[in-house]
Amino acid sequence: MRIPPLPRASLDLTGDKAAKRAVGNRPANVTSPITIDAYNPEWPAMFAKEEAAIRAALGTRALAVEHVGSTAVPGLAAKNRLDIDLIVADPADEDAYVPPLEAAGYFLRTRDPDWYQHRCLWAHDHGVNLHVFGPDCDEYLRHLLLRDWLRDHPEDRDRYSAEKQRAAQEHPMDMALYVQGKSAIIIDILKRCGLR
């Protein structure tokens, strides 16, 4: 796997930029407190079910479907919501993948054309964030490297867990501040993975 560079800046989730990236009836910020739950051993099975539905909807248009984020790391506390990265040939070509995913119960809620052409679809109950990126995307590669590192390094997994819980307690109603609050430890761990 290619080693991507460190992220230059985190995605701006504040104010007008957050509102502009929202699609449909998605609120620009959280509507209930951010909570971090203990690891749920059912998360891998839940991912397998979602992966099957995504692959059935898209067939060969799904170039990769990966369980990423904290729910993909055994033993790591997380928000009770799966993060899944879907790789398609061109995320900007929404007609190629959004209609079949909507038929399968996922709905486009985020459009970030200036950030890797990222799109995000939610399951109807928002139990899934389905992130859509293109092939060889730096952010997708960082997700895989961070996930795999945390799976193999319990000391960093536990450090990350503590920072997530601290950030959620300090900023329970602000996703931008929550993300910003845990960004330093993510950068530190990505450096340990070899990113520069």
Side-chain angles (χ1 to χ4, degrees):
M1 174 189 322
R2 177 177 67 80
I3 301 295
L6 286 169
R8 283 171 279 194
S10 61
L11 185 60
D12 188 348
L13 302 174
T14 60
D16 289 340
K17 290 189 179 184
K20 286 179 184 173
R21 61 194 290 274
V23 175
N25 63 358
R26 176 199 168 149
N29 207 338
V30 296
T31 57
S32 60
I34 298 166
T35 57
I36 306 298
D37 298 330
Y39 178 76
N40 182 345
E42 296 297 315
W43 285 333
M46 293 164 64
F47 164 72
K49 179 181 171 195
E50 300 295 335
E51 179 186 23
I54 293 162
R55 289 191 181 279
L58 295 181
T60 59
R61 288 171 288 183
L63 303 179
V65 181
E66 292 280 349
H67 189 188
V68 297
S70 296
T71 62
V73 179
L76 180 56
K79 296 188 301 296
N80 189 23
R81 180 173 298 142
L82 300 180
D83 282 300
I84 299 173
D85 278 1
L86 167 64
I87 304 305
V88 298
D90 180 5
D93 183 8
E94 295 176 10
D95 289 342
Y97 63 91
V98 171
L101 287 172
E102 286 180 340
Y106 304 92
F107 301 95
L108 184 64
R109 292 296 178 250
T110 303
R111 184 179 290 120
D112 295 308
D114 297 329
W115 190 67
Y116 305 107
Q117 285 295 333
H118 170 252
R119 306 299 194 266
C120 187
L121 293 88
W122 294 355
H124 66 87
D125 63 354
H126 199 187
V128 173
N129 286 324
L130 180 58
H131 301 280
V132 182
F133 295 108
D136 203 40
C137 171
D138 287 345
E139 188 66 11
Y140 166 65
L141 296 175
R142 285 189 285 264
H143 289 174
L144 298 179
L145 287 166
L146 181 65
R147 176 199 68 191
D148 293 349
W149 181 273
L150 292 175
R151 284 175 173 174
D152 294 339
H153 296 84
E155 67 285 354
D156 281 338
R157 178 199 66 205
D158 294 345
R159 287 176 51 226
Y160 183 48
S161 180
E163 277 300 292
K164 286 163 38 105
Q165 294 190 33
R166 180 199 57 76
Q169 288 173 355
E170 288 182 12
H171 310 290
M173 294 303 295
D174 193 312
M175 185 57 71
L177 292 176
Y178 166 74
V179 169
Q180 183 181 9
K182 62 186 185 128
S183 64
I185 193 163
I186 291 172
I187 296 295
D188 179 63
I189 294 169
L190 287 172
K191 286 179 180 176
R192 292 165 60 88
C193 295
L195 278 65
R196 300 285 173 246

